[in-house]
Amino acid sequence: MNRIKKSNTLRSLILAAGFVLLLTGCGSAKESTADGLPKEVKIGIIRVPNDKAVAMSEGYFEQYFEDKGIETKFLFFDSGVAANQAFSSGSIDFAEMGYTNSVVALSTGIPVEMIWIHEILGSNEALVAQKDSGIKTVEDLVGKKVATPFSSTSHYSLLKATQDAGIEEDVQFLDMQTSDIVAAWERGDIDAAYTWEPTLSELKKDGTVIIDSKELADKGYMTANIDLVHKDFAEKYPELVSDYTRALDEAVRFYNEDPEAAAKAAAKQLDITVEEAAMQMQASKWLTSEEQVSAPYLGTNKTPGEFSQVFLDTAKFLEEQNSIGEVPDKEAIDAFIETKYIEDTLTEQE
């Protein structure tokens, strides 16, 4: 197999490590309120118009946290790599990321649990080729330079697409963060890239979409953005983790009831147009709390859902790519996907 070229891996790790040191330098010890709750909750975010963006814009987190005297602090991460670094240092409580990075978190022993699926990815992640590259199909990637953030959902989808086409060994894969992808694209240093919004829209302006994550999901390669919580936080404040899922559930229901208003909320939060937000939101599937713990997705602690097998299959794939050193067993995966916080909110509603 062709070894994948990691052109910017060292740079990315240095930047991620520097960011973690910055966070750690701010102090990881938590002060408590009079009720014994943390004075601050640190939440990692990515620039995606999903339920978290809506929850932030509509003040749902404040509804559950700030009313208890807890400040919510939001920290942007360009990818799950940096978020995992922050979790490792104990300097963040929650973070969203592509689920492939949660596979990395489990396999490397980072003390976190998976608690939520933000969205099932569709056409909001895609492979885009330069118009003058001669690339019209996945098979045309032979001998081409293709960029993607390694260990991401886009990386997984790209490798699955090239594997299915039987050309994986004949493509030069480059590890780049999303901002680097745009710069390399504009310089003409790469022929194609598999990435997500908002970077995707930048490339689509003068590029051609070859395949997207919805098409790959239809072939059985489902990808998703998910949320993790640090175990120390979850053990100390399980009720706050449940409140966190309540805020996200409210955002999903708001979107289901009024997509236009939800798109306006997400657009305001991310400083993008309402049309851009609506387009990206329509390209993915959002899940209510009831759907989260249904059989096709997370299931329950007693009866794990189908996502557990998706997680295991992805872990095996990443191990083959040398992205992780060891594949977690099914028992470890089922323990990692912790649904009690959502289940507790649903029990209280009965």
Side-chain angles (χ1 to χ4, degrees), residues 19-71:
F19 184 62
V20 171
L21 288 173
L22 175 63
L23 288 175
T24 306
C26 295
S28 58
K30 290 184 179 295
E31 297 181 4
S32 298
T33 66
D35 296 327
L37 298 174
K39 285 191 174 181
E40 182 181 73
V41 174
K42 293 181 179 179
I43 302 173
I45 60 173
I46 55 179
R47 286 187 57 80
V48 174
N50 58 13
D51 50 1
K52 184 177 271 188
V54 172
M56 291 168 64
S57 182
E58 291 297 298
Y60 295 148
F61 289 115
E62 287 85 348
Q63 175 181 321
Y64 289 104
F65 291 139
E66 293 193 0
D67 285 353
K68 297 182 177 72
I70 304 170
E71 181 183 350

Side-chain angles (χ1 to χ4, degrees), residues 19-250:
F19 184 62
V20 171
L21 288 173
L22 175 63
L23 288 175
T24 306
C26 295
S28 58
K30 290 184 179 295
E31 297 181 4
S32 298
T33 66
D35 296 327
L37 298 174
K39 285 191 174 181
E40 182 181 73
V41 174
K42 293 181 179 179
I43 302 173
I45 60 173
I46 55 179
R47 286 187 57 80
V48 174
N50 58 13
D51 50 1
K52 184 177 271 188
V54 172
M56 291 168 64
S57 182
E58 291 297 298
Y60 295 148
F61 289 115
E62 287 85 348
Q63 175 181 321
Y64 289 104
F65 291 139
E66 293 193 0
D67 285 353
K68 297 182 177 72
I70 304 170
E71 181 183 350
T72 51
K73 183 174 183 180
F74 298 99
L75 304 165
F76 169 72
F77 292 96
D78 189 50
S79 73
V81 174
N84 278 339
Q85 292 276 359
F87 273 130
S88 295
S89 73
S91 54
I92 195 166
D93 303 308
F94 297 91
E96 67 184 303
M97 62 183 67
Y99 85 100
T100 50
N101 275 292
S102 71
V103 177
V104 174
L106 175 58
S107 69
T108 55
I110 297 174
V112 290
E113 298 172 333
M114 178 179 162
I115 58 171
W116 189 262
I117 296 176
H118 285 292
E119 70 265 82
I120 305 300
L121 300 175
S123 57
N124 52 343
E125 281 199 0
L127 171 66
V128 184
Q130 300 269 18
K131 286 188 177 178
D132 60 355
S133 65
I135 301 170
K136 302 298 181 185
T137 66
V138 173
E139 287 77 8
D140 294 332
L141 295 176
V142 171
K144 303 296 186 179
K145 295 179 180 178
V146 186
T148 194
F150 279 19
S151 297
S152 67
T153 50
S154 286
H155 182 206
Y156 173 79
S157 296
L158 173 61
L159 292 176
K160 277 299 184 183
T162 54
Q163 273 192 349
D164 278 4
I167 63 167
E168 182 188 10
E169 297 182 1
D170 304 311
V171 181
Q172 186 176 4
F173 299 98
L174 304 177
D175 181 15
M176 294 185 183
Q177 296 300 301
T178 54
S179 57
D180 295 326
I181 287 175
V182 174
W185 177 276
E186 292 175 347
R187 292 193 303 267
D189 292 346
I190 56 177
D191 301 298
Y194 205 122
T195 188
W196 55 82
E197 298 288 1
T199 305
L200 180 60
S201 288
E202 288 297 311
L203 306 191
K204 287 166 65 176
K205 289 178 181 177
D206 57 359
T208 302
V209 174
I210 305 303
I211 194 170
D212 62 35
S213 294
K214 183 181 185 304
E215 295 175 72
L216 288 165
D218 292 341
K219 293 183 177 182
Y221 308 130
M222 182 178 76
T223 53
N225 285 326
I226 55 87
D227 216 286
L228 303 181
V229 63
H230 198 287
K231 282 187 176 181
D232 287 350
F233 184 93
E235 289 173 2
K236 291 179 182 177
Y237 315 110
E239 71 284 358
L240 295 184
V241 182
S242 291
D243 285 343
Y244 185 83
T245 67
R246 285 189 180 93
L248 295 173
D249 181 69
E250 286 196 33

Side-chain angles (χ1 to χ4, degrees), residues 7-8 25 55 125 145 149 177-178 242 253 259 269 302 304 326 348:
S7 60
N8 284 322
E125 281 199 0
K145 295 179 180 178
Q177 296 300 301
T178 54
S242 291
R253 295 179 190 281
Q269 181 62 41
K302 290 184 178 179
E326 184 178 355
E348 292 172 9

